[in-house]
Structures are given as structure tokens and as C-alpha cells.
Amino acid sequence: QVQLVESGGGLVQPGRSLRLSCAASGFAFSIYAMHWVRQAPGKGLEWVAVISYDGSNKYYADSVKGRFTISRDNSKNTLYLQMNSLRAEDTAVYYCARGRDGYNYCDYWGQGTLVTVPS
Amino acid sequence: SYELTQPPSVSVSPGQTASITCSGDKLGDKYACWYQQKPGQSPVLVIYQNNKRPSGIPERFSGSNSGNTATLTISGTQAMDEADYYCQAWDSRGVFGGGTKLTVL
């Protein structure tokens, strides 16, 4: 069965960096696009970034462009999100999700990892 | 940037039909999908490509998309359907609606 397990979240000071990981199993990771989506406490879902199956194409939300970098290692079945210059407004649960039909939707989601950046 | 607008809340009586709308400029020219999220849980895909249901999603969930509006319809709503629902589309970036809290009274 498809499993996505995020890790790497925690408490980080403003301006510092953090790298999230998403370990994938139960499917052919290397042929799927992968997304990061976040949810601030008590708020709605916010799309963050997507990477194509081979890593050649990457797209970012304006709110994170230039600060966050999405990447993947298909040999390790792992997705990453490098987050630099973190701000209080980046505080959220970060989900990784498997992309389908190009980048049109996400069919499986991980359980999420919480990133807290105090103000 | 592209935006999707949902009503913040919708209420429905058990057994009745709930409709949740999602509005965006020429949304009907794109594919819309819908996610259900219950408290403390990850989102679950309930409708993709406007009107398709993933395996395991009950038939009472259906979707449509035309013009500027996509609609999620839940027929014979059950108490277990009480949740937040989010629409989503792709427009050079991923876009989510603000979410609709469905209350089954």
C-alpha cells in the first residue's frame, strides 16, 4: 500500500533553515510528481511546491519562492523540502502528497510534520 | 494569481443533499478536485478530474465543473461526512480554495 512518511519538522528560530523529508513506499516513486502542501494551525490548505517525476521541473508558491527548494532522490524514494530564511508565517503542518494527471491533483497524502517558527 | 472561492460553511440535515461550490475564473476550463479533511487527519481525495471518484469513496459523492463554478454534491449526507472540504485546481501553480466546513445537523 502507498505510504508517505514525513519527518524533519520541529521548532526553529526565525531566519534559520530546516529540511523536511518524505519517505515513500508501496509504489514506483520515480514515475510520479510529488507535492508539498502546508496547513497553518486552524487554517486551510496552502499549496507549497511540486517536482516532476525526474526532478527536471519544479514550481513554487509565491510565498516561498526563493526561500524553499523542493528536490527528490529517486534512488532513495525520498522527497525533500529545504526551507531557508524561515518566518513565523511558515509555521504549519507540512504534508507531502503524490501527484497525478500531471500536477492536477494529489491522490495520497502523508500524515504531516509540524514546523514551528516563533514570532 | 489565480484564486478559488468557497463558502466558509454549509449546513445540511442527515439524509439530505449538500452542495459545496468552488468559484474561479474559467474554472470549467481546468480540472477541479475535492478533498475531505476531518479534524486531526490528513486530507483525503474524494473527487478528481471534476467528477471521478477514487476507489473506496462512496457513490453519494459526486462532482461537476462548468463555467466558473465547480460543485461537490453529497447525496444522502451522513453524520460521518461532517468535515472540511477543499477544492483544488492547477493554474501554473497549485491552488486551493479556502475550505468549507460541512455541518450535518
Side-chain angles (χ1 to χ4, degrees), chain B residues 5-40:
Chain B
T5 301
Q6 297 179 235
S9 62
V10 168
S11 297
V12 64
S13 300
Q16 298 304 302
T17 297
S19 294
I20 300 173
T21 59
C22 173
S23 298
D25 185 48
K26 298 180 181 177
L27 180 57
D29 292 343
K30 310 176 193 303
Y31 276 132
C33 65
W34 292 88
Y35 304 94
Q36 176 193 69
Q37 187 180 34
K38 297 182 179 180

Side-chain angles (χ1 to χ4, degrees), chain A residues 85-103:
Chain A
S85 303
L86 283 161
R87 307 166 180 167
E89 54 264 37
D90 296 319
T91 294
V93 173
Y94 285 73
Y95 297 100
C96 65
R98 189 174 80 169
R100 297 298 305 274
D101 187 29
Y103 308 126

Side-chain angles (χ1 to χ4, degrees), chain B residues 12 16-20 33-38 44-48 50-64 71-86 102 104:
Chain B
V12 64
Q16 298 304 302
T17 297
S19 294
I20 300 173
C33 65
W34 292 88
Y35 304 94
Q36 176 193 69
Q37 187 180 34
K38 297 182 179 180
V44 172
L45 179 70
V46 294
I47 293 289
Y48 67 99
N50 299 331
N51 54 20
K52 295 182 171 63
R53 275 179 296 105
S55 62
I57 300 301
E59 289 185 10
R60 63 180 181 273
F61 287 86
S62 63
S64 64
T71 303
L72 173 69
T73 302
I74 309 172
S75 304
T77 307
Q78 300 182 10
M80 67 172 65
D81 300 329
E82 188 163 285
D84 293 327
Y85 291 86
Y86 296 89
L102 178 67
V104 182

Side-chain angles (χ1 to χ4, degrees), chain A residues 39 60 101 104-106 110, chain B residues 35 37 42 48-49 88 93:
Chain A
Q39 187 170 36
Y60 298 92
D101 187 29
N104 276 321
Y105 66 94
C106 303
Chain B
Y35 304 94
Q37 187 180 34
S42 301
Y48 67 99
Q49 290 180 352
Q88 183 244 309
R93 303 288 185 271

